[in-house]
Amino acid sequence: MVNLAVANRVVMYYQTQYHNGQYVSVLPLIGYVTHLLLAAFHLNMGHTGLDIVHLNDNIPSSSFFDPMWPEIAQLQGNGTKVIGMLGGAAPGTYDCLVDSLFDTYYPPLRDVIAAYKLDGLDLDVEQSVSSATITRFIQQLKADFGEDFIITLAPVASALTEGGNLSGFDYIDLEQNMGAHIAWYNAQFYSGFGSFFPDDQYISIIDYEQGIDPARVTAIVLTNPANGGGYVSPDSVVTSIHNLMEKYGTAWGGVGGWEYFNSLPDSSQPWEWAVTMKDAMQVQTEKMVAAARGKELAAREAEAAAEPRIPSRIFGKPSSSSRDA
């Protein structure tokens, strides 16, 4: 029986804050995305002070981001969780978090997370890193920000079945040892490491030996073929959404897009990608709820029909003779 507990999410990565000289507002995403992943934070080896932590090419307090931070707060005020993405394709960030350098480079990152009230951190590890380094980092984040702080990881999809992997550590081992502290995985289904259409690879991850809950695997796809290799059209993503919801109900991890600013089907209105994904999940949820109610009604009617009927007994008035007696 499908599960109707709701876990599916719509995630959007937001790295390009300006396009063609114009600021790209995230306010149209309100009500459509559950999580905005703000990309990409980096730690800079050899830098000091505020210059240790960059958001793309600037320190987070740069005037470059003046239009963005109030909008981030507005999203959070409307229920969207905002998670910082740390790392990505640019190497070096996680070299700063080895034991010998941890006390130098972690505190500035901790201070940025606190200053901008981020709801969590997405660890996009695309360099060789030891499991010990990642484990210590996760434990320290939880110690500093509490159990409600959202920690996600962004492996390439194949890494979740111990195939191609950019991170250097085994995600299956990490899941076994630290899974209780990891909210979910933003698995990258593109660039030759996976495809979300058809949905076979997603299912193979769920069925792999670690038995990961589908609520903890979000499928990240490209929103535009210009963003990398392995683009899947919105219509194909919707098809996989419907198929997976028929299999797992609403208790699965949902989908996410890399990245926001040029999302199709209409890059001039990039929020439409998120609207399409939310609508697809909503339509399927309504169908499932209606089907469940129909089955429940049919079961009640069948139960009522099966109940034995007790014949009624009609008692007449006693005769006068019997009364006199």
Side-chain angles (χ1 to χ4, degrees), residues 211-251:
I212 192 168
D213 191 316
R216 297 182 56 244
V217 180
T218 296
I220 308 300
V221 302
L222 300 176
T223 60
N224 190 306
N227 297 343
Y231 170 74
V232 175
S233 73
D235 287 345
S236 294
V237 176
V238 166
T239 297
S240 288
I241 286 173
H242 287 172
N243 292 341
L244 290 172
M245 290 185 73
E246 288 178 359
K247 184 175 181 65
Y248 300 117
T250 57

Side-chain angles (χ1 to χ4, degrees), residues 148-272:
D148 290 338
F149 189 75
I150 301 168
I151 296 176
T152 61
L153 280 88
V156 293
S158 54
L160 292 179
T161 51
E162 297 183 296
N165 185 355
L166 299 178
S167 306
F169 57 85
D170 190 310
Y171 279 90
I172 306 309
D173 289 343
L174 185 72
E175 168 66 12
Q176 291 173 347
N177 297 325
M178 295 296 293
H181 300 296
I182 299 168
W184 71 83
Y185 296 95
N186 293 306
Q188 300 178 40
F189 283 82
Y190 51 88
S191 294
F193 295 100
S195 178
F196 188 58
F197 179 80
D199 50 44
D200 302 20
Q201 187 176 10
Y202 185 97
I203 294 170
S204 71
I205 290 171
I206 306 308
D207 292 344
Y208 196 63
E209 63 183 47
Q210 84 280 15
I212 192 168
D213 191 316
R216 297 182 56 244
V217 180
T218 296
I220 308 300
V221 302
L222 300 176
T223 60
N224 190 306
N227 297 343
Y231 170 74
V232 175
S233 73
D235 287 345
S236 294
V237 176
V238 166
T239 297
S240 288
I241 286 173
H242 287 172
N243 292 341
L244 290 172
M245 290 185 73
E246 288 178 359
K247 184 175 181 65
Y248 300 117
T250 57
W252 72 295
V255 297
W258 178 274
E259 60 169 312
Y260 172 51
F261 83 101
N262 63 350
S263 297
L264 298 176
D266 183 354
S267 60
S268 68
Q269 300 182 78
W271 55 87
E272 287 191 1

